[in-house]
Amino acid sequence: MVTRDLAIGLIFFTQTTVGILGNFSLLCHYIILSFTEYRWRSTDFIHKHLIIANFLALLCKGVPQTMAAFGRKHFLSDIGCKLLLFLHRVGRGVSIGSICILSVYQAITISPGNCRWAELKVKAPKYIFPSIFLCWVLQMLVNIIFPIYLTSTLSDKNITDKKDFGYCSSVRHDKTSDSLYGLLLSFPDVLCLGLMLWASSSMVFLLYRHKQTSLESRATKTILLLVSTFVYFYTLSSIFQLVMSLFDNPSLILVNVAAVVSVCFPTVSPFLLMSHNSKVPKVPSLCEPLMSFVGNSHP
């Protein structure tokens, strides 16, 4: 294994491990809260679905990319390749949808009670569950065609016109089909990005024009940071995807960099939520009760 492959493998391994630990820590927090008298907030439900989406993105993209970088490229069957990339696409889409719903909900929540959003402000919590459910269904329907043109590197099919992505390959087809399917995949993303930008602009305007409580202000700033981080990594990932689409056979370095960028947000998002929410423990704090018990058990 050359030094370059080892370095790429370590990057994937570190990124995936940190991301899984961060999301697992946040998930443990919510599991512990379910056994207490904690009063659940509407945004907690969105956070839990964002965690699930992050797990899908990290496990279905980060783990196979790590194995491929360490030289284990031929480990997936056709079905495994199609399933992993389908689940990654669904997780990525639900992540976009969750951030969109979170930002729109917060914009409605902090709006003044005497504005035209007053009635919607009261009903907004009731719309969260159907919105998240619709997001999952929509992403499954939109991405159901995505695995059709994928094949495993283990496949014995004699296909010469294909793009190699390390552990999976994509069969090339005509540009018209590529463009139409690209538009279909991009439409929900563009819609969500538009809603995010509108909601973020509204929150910034309301934050500086009206006096908000410290709790509302902190929650709004956290969501704005989350949205900004997401838009940054999403834009960067889209640029790499566009560049890759221009090549019939993109280099492995370009494929690996695009893969690293695509799972950056699932890696950092749980830490953003934990660092800006006083009720969510940091990663080390989950271990503190255990360390205290171990320490007290010895004289």
Side-chain angles (χ1 to χ4, degrees):
M1 184 184 300
V2 298
T3 306
R4 185 188 64 185
D5 293 337
L6 179 61
I8 292 172
L10 288 174
I11 291 172
F12 278 125
F13 177 77
T14 303
Q15 184 184 38
T16 304
T17 304
V18 170
I20 289 175
L21 286 176
N23 283 281
F24 182 72
S25 175
L26 199 55
L27 181 63
C28 287
H29 166 70
Y30 285 118
I31 291 174
I32 293 170
L33 285 182
S34 64
F35 294 99
T36 67
E37 296 181 356
Y38 173 72
R39 185 177 179 182
W40 292 97
R41 298 169 298 180
S42 300
T43 53
D44 292 330
F45 182 76
I46 304 175
H47 290 164
K48 285 185 279 188
H49 281 268
L50 179 61
I51 293 169
I52 295 171
N54 286 345
F55 272 124
L56 284 178
L58 288 164
L59 293 175
C60 298
K61 189 73 170 181
V63 173
Q65 287 287 165
T66 302
M67 294 179 68
F70 282 127
R72 294 291 304 274
K73 296 182 179 181
H74 310 292
F75 63 94
L76 283 175
S77 63
D78 271 358
I79 295 177
C81 176
K82 295 175 190 293
L83 181 62
L84 277 185
L85 289 177
F86 170 73
L87 291 175
H88 171 257
R89 290 287 311 183
V90 171
R92 176 182 175 275
V94 172
S95 179
I96 297 173
S98 298
I99 298 297
C100 176
I101 294 168
L102 187 63
S103 58
V104 171
Y105 174 79
Q106 188 65 19
I108 294 172
T109 300
I110 67 172
S111 61
N114 57 352
C115 73
R116 63 181 181 275
W117 296 96
E119 186 177 351
L120 184 59
K121 187 175 181 178
V122 177
K123 296 180 179 179
K126 298 179 182 178
Y127 295 139
I128 289 180
F129 175 78
S131 298
I132 291 289
F133 178 77
L134 181 63
C135 181
W136 280 100
V137 173
L138 179 63
Q139 290 300 325
M140 288 181 183
L141 291 176
V142 168
N143 290 288
I144 196 69
I145 311 172
F146 183 75
I148 292 177
Y149 298 104
L150 294 172
T151 180
S152 167
T153 53
L154 279 175
S155 176
D156 57 359
K157 297 177 182 177
N158 188 18
I159 302 173
T160 56
D161 195 22
K162 63 182 181 179
K163 291 184 178 182
D164 185 13
F165 294 107
Y167 57 93
C168 284
S169 300
S170 172
V171 181
R172 297 193 196 101
H173 36 289
D174 62 278
K175 297 293 183 181
T176 305
S177 299
D178 275 344
S179 300
L180 290 174
Y181 188 54
L183 288 173
L184 176 64
L185 287 176
S186 301
F187 177 73
D189 296 355
V190 172
L191 179 62
C192 286
L193 283 173
L195 288 171
M196 272 188 249
L197 292 175
W198 166 80
S200 299
S201 302
S202 300
M203 283 188 282
V204 171
F205 176 75
L206 291 169
L207 207 58
Y208 284 95
R209 184 175 180 181
H210 302 280
K211 290 183 178 180
Q212 305 289 338
T213 65
S214 59
L215 184 61
E216 288 175 337
S217 177
R218 189 187 304 119
T220 303
K221 289 177 182 177
T222 301
I223 292 172
L224 285 172
L225 179 62
L226 206 60
V227 170
S228 302
T229 306
F230 174 81
V231 171
Y232 172 76
F233 284 124
Y234 179 84
T235 303
L236 201 59
S237 178
S238 298
I239 292 172
F240 277 107
Q241 293 296 329
L242 179 62
V243 172
M244 285 173 57
S245 67
L246 299 176
F247 294 95
D248 289 334
N249 199 7
S251 67
L252 198 56
I253 288 292
L254 184 59
V255 172
N256 285 329
V257 172
V260 168
V261 173
S262 69
V263 290
C264 277
F265 180 76
T267 300
V268 302
S269 60
F271 297 100
L272 292 178
L273 289 171
M274 287 187 286
S275 63
H276 288 78
N277 190 339
S278 59
K279 293 184 179 180
V280 179
K282 312 301 182 287
V283 176
S285 66
L286 289 176
C287 304
E288 286 176 3
L290 178 60
M291 296 301 294
S292 177
F293 173 77
V294 173
N296 293 332
S297 63
H298 293 282

